[in-house]
Amino acid sequence: MFAEALEDILKDVSAPAAVRSIEAGQSPALLWAAIADAGFLELLASEENGGAGLALPDLYPVLTMLGAHAVPVPFAQTAAARVLLTPDQVPTGMLTFAPVVRRLANGSISCPLVPFGLIADHVLAQEEDRLYLLPAKDAVCEPTGVHGSLTATLSWRGDSGVAAAAAPGVIATFGAAIHSALIAGGMQRVFGMTLQYANDRAQFGKSIGKFQAIQHQISVAAEHVAASSIAAESAFQGVGPVPELLAAAIAKSRTSEAVPLVASIAHAVHGAIGVTEEYDLQLYTRRLHEWRMSHGAESYWNRVVGRAVIASDTSLVSDFVRTACASRPAFA
């Protein structure tokens, strides 16, 4: 229900032309106001605090919708902050998560490669068991230099934000789960565009989708898109307000691993047209590559999963998977 309602809004305010203009430096205020005025920022806030009290399983289709539209604002992070901060700590404006916090020798804080760091009003960063709400206007901002990227490295002098207690790693876990859902949604859009193009583009008297080599490539992409969607959705099957670490690790690892393969197949099927500025495919594949790296690529999360396997009582990975799934309500 919420995903369908949000999609109706995004069709108008997050069309490819709007995404391009925000990437080029235009203000995202119109897009942000449309989402905020409709009340979507309070999806995860409790009903006692005026929110919808949305459960994690119901949040997943909303996040995939954001990925499918390449929404260029930190809506997911801002909504998720409602379950990490008390109502009086939640600031007005766009909030994003810092993947990493580095404490420098002079006491200053540096947060490398913050998603939406160029446009966010606040950054929620975690250092061990403490959260820092850092105002972006006080930070030194360094863009990545990548075309169209809204990611930036932000630095502050000392502790300049509100601090709150939190379980260690909660920002990393939530960030990984969010980006796995965004990737799943983005890959579904890329796959749909690729399938449509293969059916429409004709060569030698028939659509290129009828050639065996193209069919094979599309089949491989379909397998990875389906597997990634299942992994990403599993990260949102917990009963708590925050995704579980192991499920989020598996989801981010699987979705990130699929990104280069699905993106390369999409561009191979589209040919040279796929990389042109005028064609929309590059909007989504650029996002996929960026989201793959956000909050850790598959190499980082594979180590998290590997340590969990070693620490378990099982000797086979298949037994570990069955045990992990059986312990979760959605799979029991």
Side-chain angles (χ1 to χ4, degrees):
M1 176 180 68
F2 289 108
E4 289 78 4
L6 178 61
E7 185 176 26
D8 290 338
I9 296 175
L10 296 180
K11 285 179 179 176
D12 295 329
V13 297
S14 189
V19 175
R20 285 185 172 87
S21 67
I22 293 173
E23 286 184 345
Q26 296 297 314
S27 171
L30 179 62
L31 169 58
W32 188 253
I35 295 174
D37 292 346
F40 284 104
L41 297 182
E42 307 300 330
L43 283 179
L44 294 180
S46 64
E47 295 181 0
E48 293 77 13
N49 294 318
L54 199 67
L56 283 179
D58 297 324
L59 178 64
Y60 174 72
V62 174
L63 298 185
T64 56
M65 189 65 63
L66 300 178
H69 285 270
V71 175
V73 292
F75 161 61
Q77 292 88 340
T78 305
R82 266 62 177 173
V83 299
L84 302 177
L85 300 172
T86 58
D88 61 307
Q89 292 176 322
V90 175
T92 301
M94 291 184 284
L95 182 153
T96 189
F97 290 169
V100 178
V101 175
R102 290 176 179 169
R103 179 74 65 173
L104 305 182
N106 60 3
S108 62
I109 293 176
S110 177
C111 297
L113 302 178
V114 178
F116 303 106
L118 282 183
I119 61 172
D121 300 301
H122 303 275
V123 177
L124 192 60
Q126 182 165 24
E127 188 177 40
E128 298 178 348
D129 60 350
R130 298 182 68 81
L131 297 178
Y132 291 93
L133 185 59
L134 304 165
K137 63 181 178 58
D138 295 339
V140 176
C141 181
E142 299 178 47
T144 62
V146 176
H147 171 72
S149 174
L150 301 176
T151 298
T153 293
L154 303 177
S155 301
W156 291 264
R157 293 181 177 178
D159 300 338
S160 56
V162 174
V170 68
I171 289 289
T173 302
F174 222 147
I178 286 172
H179 282 84
S180 69
L182 295 176
I183 290 173
M187 282 200 296
Q188 290 168 12
R189 173 59 61 90
V190 165
F191 180 73
M193 294 178 67
T194 303
L195 195 61
Q196 186 66 51
Y197 184 81
N199 287 328
D200 294 342
R201 177 78 165 88
Q203 190 73 25
F204 305 115
K206 59 182 179 181
S207 63
I208 63 173
K210 294 186 181 300
F211 290 97
Q212 187 175 14
I214 299 295
Q215 290 178 343
H216 173 73
Q217 292 292 304
I218 290 177
S219 298
V220 171
E223 292 173 356
H224 284 271
V225 171
S228 296
S229 297
I230 294 171
E233 187 171 6
S234 71
F236 292 86
Q237 296 305 308
V239 296
V242 178
E244 298 170 7
L245 173 61
L246 182 58
I250 294 173
K252 188 60 166 64
S253 170
R254 186 63 186 89
T255 53
S256 292
E257 181 182 8
V259 164
L261 191 146
V262 172
S264 62
I265 288 177
H267 281 283
V269 172
H270 278 84
I273 190 176
V275 298
T276 58
E277 174 63 27
E278 295 79 7
Y279 197 71
D280 292 341
L281 181 65
Q282 52 87 18
L283 287 179
Y284 304 102
T285 54
R286 281 195 290 107
R287 282 286 196 288
L288 290 180
H289 286 296
E290 193 166 66
W291 290 336
R292 177 196 180 195
M293 304 303 295
S294 298
H295 289 272
E298 64 270 25
S299 57
Y300 173 82
W301 291 106
N302 281 343
R303 287 195 292 273
V304 175
V305 178
R307 284 195 291 269
V309 174
I310 293 172
S312 68
D313 295 330
T314 58
S315 57
L316 298 174
V317 173
S318 57
D319 292 338
F320 171 79
V321 173
R322 278 194 291 270
T323 303
C325 291
S327 66
R328 309 189 67 209
F331 298 96

